[in-house]
Amino acid sequence: MKNSTTQATLNMWKQALGELVRRQGPDLSSRQMAILLIVYLEEPPHTVRGLAARLKISKPAVTRALDTMGKLDLLRRKPDEKDLRSVNIVRTVKGSVYLSEIADVIEKAAWENLG
Amino acid sequence: MKNSTTQATLNMWKQALGELVRRQGPDLSSRQMAILLIVYLEEPPHTVRGLAARLKISKPAVTRALDTMGKLDLLRRKPDEKDLRSVNIVRTVKGSVYLSEIADVIEKAAWENLG
DNA sequence: GATAAATGTTTCGATTGCGAAATAAGTTTG
DNA sequence: CAAACTTATTTCGCAATCGAAACATTTATC
């Protein structure tokens, strides 16, 4: 088929994704998850406009993702005090815990497949 | 924050997911992607019932995912000749190509983060 | 200080997805 | 062969999401 690295890579992804689906935790889309990861792994500040540009998606799409993940308390909107038009997206405890769990799942899959 | 392996793992996931979102290819959900990967990486035959059990999701959810990915020609239904109640899910050329591309993206992200 | 630009949200109409229950079609059991 | 079971799909009502355009608010420009 393909080379063995490719095979192992896809197996890793399959295993991690499969486990995440089976867990039936909050069912985030790829977009939502990508936003969440950027907010938690990259330097603040994070704005709607910035995230939209970063992922090449529309601003309303970001707004909706923030609504959904905000309800789940995975992140939070914090009005920017310098520029009242702008909103900063910040982390929450619950979001940190959630990402730690995700990391465990992926890490295990990576370990088993990529050695 | 957390240990550096966890950090690297999440960075890898972030990078891969970010790239997949930016590509604006077919926007598959986690469920759909998980199904696709199982079909391509595990031994046939694959049935609706089997996939549902494997991922702990409902059969209608699998049917819908197959509808969507079938329209995209990422996989195909093939009636089982031994048991006419059953349907086998089989691979397509387009699906193989698509997964190869996905693998490239993930592989690159893994290489850059997990060394 | 009026006008233009920037930021984020809301509205619009449409599509897609969900679980649960009902259904259609085929097979097994007694 | 009839009843029970199995497999997959369809239906139902509902919730989430989409892009595009319109909107409200705030800031920058002239």
Side-chain angles (χ1 to χ4, degrees), chain A residues 72-86:
Chain A
L72 295 171
D73 196 29
L74 296 178
L75 44 69
R76 206 164 52 77
R77 283 179 171 96
K78 184 171 183 252
D80 185 331
E81 296 174 355
K82 313 272 186 187
D83 184 341
L84 297 181
R85 287 172 302 183
S86 209

Side-chain angles (χ1 to χ4, degrees), chain B residues 2 11 19 21-22 30 32-33 38 45-46 58-59 63 65-66 76 80 84 86 88 90 98 102 104 112 115:
Chain B
K2 319 181 209 317
N11 263 308
E19 183 60 28
V21 169
R22 274 187 296 273
S30 297
Q32 293 168 339
M33 183 65 82
I38 290 173
H46 301 288
S58 69
K59 284 191 296 177
T63 293
L66 297 181
R76 206 165 53 77
D80 185 332
L84 297 182
S86 210
N88 289 87
V90 300
Y98 178 64
I102 300 261
D104 282 349
E112 290 175 14

Side-chain angles (χ1 to χ4, degrees), chain A residues 81-96:
Chain A
E81 296 174 355
K82 313 272 186 187
D83 184 341
L84 297 181
R85 287 172 302 183
S86 209
V87 171
N88 288 19
I89 322 301
V90 300
R91 303 160 192 172
T92 63
V93 172
K94 196 167 173 189
S96 297

